[in-house]
Amino acid sequence: LAKTTQPISMDSYEGQEVNITCSHNNIATNDYITWYQQFPSQGPRFIIQGYKTKVTNEVASLFIPADRKSSTLSLPRVSLSDTAVYYCLVGDPKAAGNKLTFGGGTRVLVKP
Amino acid sequence: GAVVSQHPSRVICKSGTSVKIECRSLDFQATTMFWYRQFPKQSLMLMATSNEGSKATYEQGVEKDKFLINHASLTLSTLTVTSAHPEDSSFYICSARIGGSSQPQHFGDGTRLSIL
């Protein structure tokens, strides 16, 4: 299972763009990159998933360079409610079992 | 989108009690479900992989006789914490995914277990 490395924490202000970079040097050919958001006392919530280049949905964008050894989650114009822990995970979603190994995550604090 | 429901959301019980937690996939069939444990201020730790119709696969260091997993149908997996003790107090979370696709795992809202 590919290991991921993320910053422990990041501070931001309302209305700013937050970019969280995740390193996954040992990513395998069939691995996808998935980001989750977790609020206290809740289960992780799926944000976005991608394989290469750029993926965008209604809440975030995911940038993946050609070598796929890292990825950046971009949260546009954050609000106070975006304060949470963000996890980057790497794995083959089609593989039997498809275990996800959670790293430490990035604790994002959005200030007013 | 895919919804995973977990029940109960919170349990408080005496030491020595066995506690059962249910994890249901509400709008899809899940041949595989996963059980995690999370201590305060820490990340999620995978405990076991629950396979429909077969025995669960436990991660190293997780006692299979302590944490009984039953995945009797394509929409339900249960985790039973047997003879729970205070050190078993934690946040237990399940996840499930649509088999054979590139769809991501979806997580339940967790169960807060407090053993007195």
Side-chain angles (χ1 to χ4, degrees), chain A residues 32 34 36 38 41-44 46 49 87 93-95 97-100 102-104 107, chain B residues 32 34 36 38 42-44 46 49 59 91 93 97 101-105 107-109 112:
Chain A
Y32 282 62
T34 310
Y36 289 88
Q38 187 182 29
S41 296
Q42 293 186 25
F46 170 78
Q49 177 174 286
Y87 293 98
K94 297 180 181 178
N98 182 31
K99 294 196 296 185
L100 291 179
F102 280 78
R107 193 171 297 272
Chain B
T32 304
F34 303 88
Y36 296 82
Q38 186 175 34
Q42 294 186 22
S43 185
L44 284 77
L46 179 65
T49 301
E59 294 300 301
F91 192 51
I93 309 169
R97 57 180 289 271
S101 75
S102 61
Q103 294 295 312
Q105 288 188 25
F107 290 79
D109 273 338
R112 174 75 58 192

Side-chain angles (χ1 to χ4, degrees), chain A residues 68-110:
Chain A
R68 304 200 326 123
K69 293 184 182 300
S70 67
S71 59
T72 299
L73 174 72
S74 180
L75 306 172
R77 299 179 299 281
V78 294
S79 63
L80 296 177
S81 61
D82 292 317
T83 292
V85 178
Y86 292 82
Y87 293 98
C88 162
L89 295 104
V90 173
D92 181 357
K94 297 180 181 178
N98 182 31
K99 294 196 296 185
L100 291 179
T101 300
F102 280 78
T106 298
R107 193 171 297 272
V108 173
L109 174 62
V110 180

